[in-house]
Amino acid sequence: MTLPYSPSRAVYEGNGAATAFPFAFKVWSTDQLNISITSPKGETSPAQGWTASIGESGGTVTYLHNGAPLPAGWRLAIVRNMPFAQGIDLISASRFDPQVIEDGLDQATAELQQLNEKLARAVIMPATSDKSPEEVVASIYASRDAAAQNATAAEHSAAAAVASAATAAQTVAEAAEASVSAATAQADIAAASAYTAQTAAYAAQQAVPDNLLSRMADAEAKNTRQDARMDAAEQGITAISTTLIGSVMSVMAAEGYVPNGTVPADGAEYTREQFREFYDTYLAGGKLLTCTYAAFAAQVALTGNCAKFAVDTTAQKFKVPLLKNGDSITHAASSTELGKSVKAGLPNATGTLGYIFGRDSGTNYSVHSGIFAQVSETTRFAGGGGEASVVSVDLSRSSAIYGNSTTVTDEQVRLRHFVVLASAQNRASVFDWSNYMAGLAGKANLDMDNLTPAGSAKVADYAMPSQRVVAVAVPASGGYTVPAPSAGWFKLAGVSTAAGQYIRLSTANYVVDILDWSSGPGQSLGIMVPVRKGDVVWASYSSLSAMYMHFVITEGGN
């Protein structure tokens, strides 16, 4: 049989249900498999107690983790574990079994595929580097050293495999030469893959700036200064925000000007979306005086003002207090007086007045009280007979303002009243908060939780491919594309001229790795890889005809 290309690895995420994990690469016995598991903390160890069933082109591993299916957050990896030993002993002048030779070549190819899979995961950096980096760069160096050791071992193993193939070629007859040539070609592919991995590692090393340490120090210093400014701003905001929310301010404000963090005390309506923190903490939280919309309207109809916030919990909206022209604010001596509106008034003035006029000579008799007082008495109408009358005075009969209060309105200076709904530092750089909030109503939140269905659909469409396509030069096999001009997809395509040809695109660290193989000539091969703006993609391919590369821009890309 032949042995087509295989990735030599299968990786699965635990879901708390699966216990069977298939793999699609050829092995000849279960001891040629290596099963490992990785915990959510990133700790990797060999899997214990697994079993496997093997077929012609793969098999299935059955595994229970501590007697149960592999939990979510755990990962399981299945890789080849070939023995790297040549057990075929061919005796001169004897009959050669082609199946024995083919099995030997297949196992050598499997060893090379195993090496190729390991090299694809290796990170290699030049040994001539003289950097002295901090933690991040030190991590890159550690990865480089480990990859270099793996590459050295792979090179020795590949050389041993080529030597074994050459020895076999010298001892077999003319009929086996084609098979030996195929093994040599597989070795060449493995060497090319190793060179490609070294090239990619060198490109990654070159991407590390020479001035990385100084730039990191500068960034840390800027962060420290920014943190100090933010701390000062938070202290300033906290100092005034804890005392002003919900209070009424009298400001010598010109018409049309609204101080930062306030709104006019004019009974206007606002929504929770405009003032979410104020609504939840101070209104719904019971820290400020509130009433229903009906009670608010009734109070305004009675006195022309209302000192409470009207709240509609169903519609999640509210009205600020309404203060009319000439209203003054006084202290509430008890809870029953809180938020109470009092109509204007003056104390009433009452009294009585009366006289008795005698017909006989003598002194007249006067009756008086209240606002009336006796000034003098006179004698009138000497002689018998007489009459009497009483006159009373009540000023409230002319105006209801009399008798409606025990005080008299004092002299006043009238200013504009504002209600504090939020606070900010009083600096020239602070924008007009209330006007900004009024304009912000209906806009999307930072977490986008108030998007309409149409808005959600539009956001989803932004990530989809558009009809905008840009032609991109096809890089050399083993090289990198130009940086992506926008968020989108790199597309590589071509037509095969023979079976076994391929095209491959990989993003950084092989996070996305797409491969397409041909099974014969004349096949159209095509793959696409998603990228962000500025990303580059590594390309590898056989000699195809009519090759081209496009970049497809996302609907929301620019």
Side-chain angles (χ1 to χ4, degrees):
M1 61 173 284
T2 60
L3 191 65
Y5 171 80
S6 172
S8 300
R9 180 177 63 154
V11 180
Y12 291 93
E13 298 281 351
N15 59 8
T19 58
F21 306 94
F23 58 92
F25 51 84
K26 174 69 175 177
V27 293
W28 287 261
S29 63
T30 57
D31 58 3
Q32 294 175 354
L33 291 172
N34 188 342
I35 316 299
S36 62
I37 55 174
T38 301
S39 71
K41 296 182 179 180
E43 301 172 348
T44 301
S45 60
Q48 304 293 332
W50 58 270
T51 60
S53 59
I54 299 174
E56 284 297 318
S57 58
T60 300
V61 170
T62 301
Y63 173 70
L64 291 176
H65 183 71
N66 295 330
L70 190 65
W74 287 73
R75 305 183 74 192
L76 180 141
I78 308 171
V79 297
R80 277 191 173 119
N81 185 29
M82 300 301 293
F84 290 92
Q86 204 286 105
I88 300 174
D89 186 13
L90 300 176
I91 302 174
S92 300
S94 64
R95 177 180 175 274
F96 297 142
D97 186 349
Q99 186 62 47
V100 173
I101 297 173
E102 188 171 26
D103 286 346
L105 294 175
D106 286 346
Q107 293 190 24
T109 300
E111 292 171 350
L112 294 173
Q113 290 179 353
Q114 176 180 332
L115 294 175
N116 185 47
E117 187 277 325
K118 286 187 176 181
L119 287 173
R121 290 185 281 118
V123 177
I124 304 173
M125 296 178 67
T128 58
S129 177
D130 57 355
K131 303 292 182 183
S132 179
E134 294 181 354
E135 184 176 350
V136 175
V137 181
S139 176
I140 297 176
Y141 276 24
S143 299
R144 187 278 312 275
D145 294 340
Q149 295 177 0
N150 292 337
T152 300
E155 184 178 357
H156 291 321
S157 299
V162 173
S164 298
T167 301
Q170 293 174 359
T171 57
V172 296
E174 291 284 334
E177 287 186 1
S179 298
V180 174
S181 298
T184 304
Q186 293 288 348
D188 290 339
I189 293 175
S193 298
Y195 176 77
T196 299
Q198 291 176 345
T199 302
Y202 177 75
Q205 190 273 337
Q206 291 297 107
V208 178
D210 294 335
N211 62 343
L212 177 61
L213 296 181
S214 61
R215 289 170 61 185
M216 290 174 64
D218 291 342
E220 184 63 29
K222 291 180 180 179
N223 286 339
T224 300
R225 292 193 296 271
Q226 184 66 18
D227 288 343
R229 288 195 293 267
M230 290 297 292
D231 290 342
E234 288 178 359
Q235 291 172 3
I237 292 172
T238 301
I240 62 174
S241 66
T242 56
T243 57
L244 297 181
I245 299 298
S247 63
V248 174
M249 297 175 54
S250 297
V251 182
M252 296 180 182
E255 183 69 26
Y257 170 69
V258 178
N260 295 324
T262 71
V263 296
D266 57 2
E269 184 178 75
Y270 300 90
T271 66
R272 176 178 178 270
E273 288 304 317
Q274 291 175 283
F275 302 94
R276 185 185 293 265
E277 183 67 23
F278 173 77
Y279 184 96
D280 292 343
T281 303
Y282 292 90
L283 298 183
K287 292 185 177 182
L288 299 178
L289 297 174
T290 61
C291 64
T292 64
Y293 267 46
F296 188 93
Q299 184 63 59
V300 171
L302 180 64
T303 61
N305 56 21
C306 185
K308 297 181 180 180
F309 290 87
V311 178
D312 184 344
T313 57
T314 302
Q316 292 195 326
K317 59 184 181 178
F318 65 95
K319 290 183 178 181
V320 297
L322 172 62
L323 300 180
K324 70 178 185 298
N325 189 35
D327 279 344
S328 60
I329 300 174
T330 60
H331 176 67
S334 64
S335 61
T336 58
E337 295 292 310
L338 283 174
K340 183 178 180 180
S341 295
V342 180
K343 298 182 68 174
L346 291 172
N348 196 11
T350 63
T352 59
L353 174 63
Y355 279 92
I356 298 176
F357 301 98
R359 290 184 177 180
D360 295 326
S361 62
T363 302
N364 295 324
Y365 178 69
S366 174
V367 179
H368 55 82
S369 66
I371 65 171
F372 296 101
Q374 180 177 345
V375 178
S376 64
E377 294 182 352
T378 60
T379 301
R380 299 183 65 183
F381 300 113
E387 62 181 35
S389 67
V390 177
V391 178
S392 65
V393 176
D394 185 349
L395 298 183
S396 65
R397 294 168 60 88
S398 64
S399 174
I401 194 171
Y402 291 102
N404 195 43
S405 174
T406 59
T407 61
V408 178
T409 302
D410 58 354
E411 293 182 349
Q412 299 178 349
V413 174
R414 296 188 176 180
L415 304 176
R416 296 177 63 203
H417 288 310
F418 299 91
V419 182
V420 179
L421 301 188
S423 61
Q425 287 180 296
N426 189 17
R427 297 193 308 233
S429 62
V430 178
F431 52 78
D432 193 319
W433 189 89
S434 60
N435 291 335
Y436 169 77
M437 287 304 300
L440 190 63
K443 302 299 189 297
N445 293 336
L446 289 179
D447 56 7
M448 316 260 316
D449 64 353
N450 66 335
L451 283 180
T452 63
S456 298
K458 182 172 290 187
V459 171
D461 288 342
Y462 281 161
M464 295 296 102
S466 70
Q467 297 300 316
R468 293 175 290 169
V469 179
V470 180
V472 179
V474 178
S477 180
Y480 289 86
T481 64
V482 297
S486 170
W489 288 263
F490 278 110
K491 177 181 180 181
L492 180 62
V495 179
S496 66
T497 59
Q501 293 183 330
Y502 72 95
I503 54 176
R504 181 181 182 182
L505 292 177
S506 301
T507 60
N509 298 321
Y510 299 93
V511 173
V512 179
D513 189 13
I514 308 298
L515 183 70
D516 194 11
W517 286 85
S518 67
S519 58
Q523 286 186 330
S524 294
L525 304 181
I527 53 177
M528 294 178 67
V529 171
V531 292
R532 296 181 176 87
K533 183 176 182 179
D535 287 352
V536 296
V537 172
W538 178 74
S540 178
Y541 52 83
S542 304
S543 298
L544 305 179
S545 64
M547 289 193 68
Y548 68 91
M549 175 170 275
H550 285 163
F551 185 82
V552 182
I553 301 174
T554 61
E555 193 68 37
N558 52 46

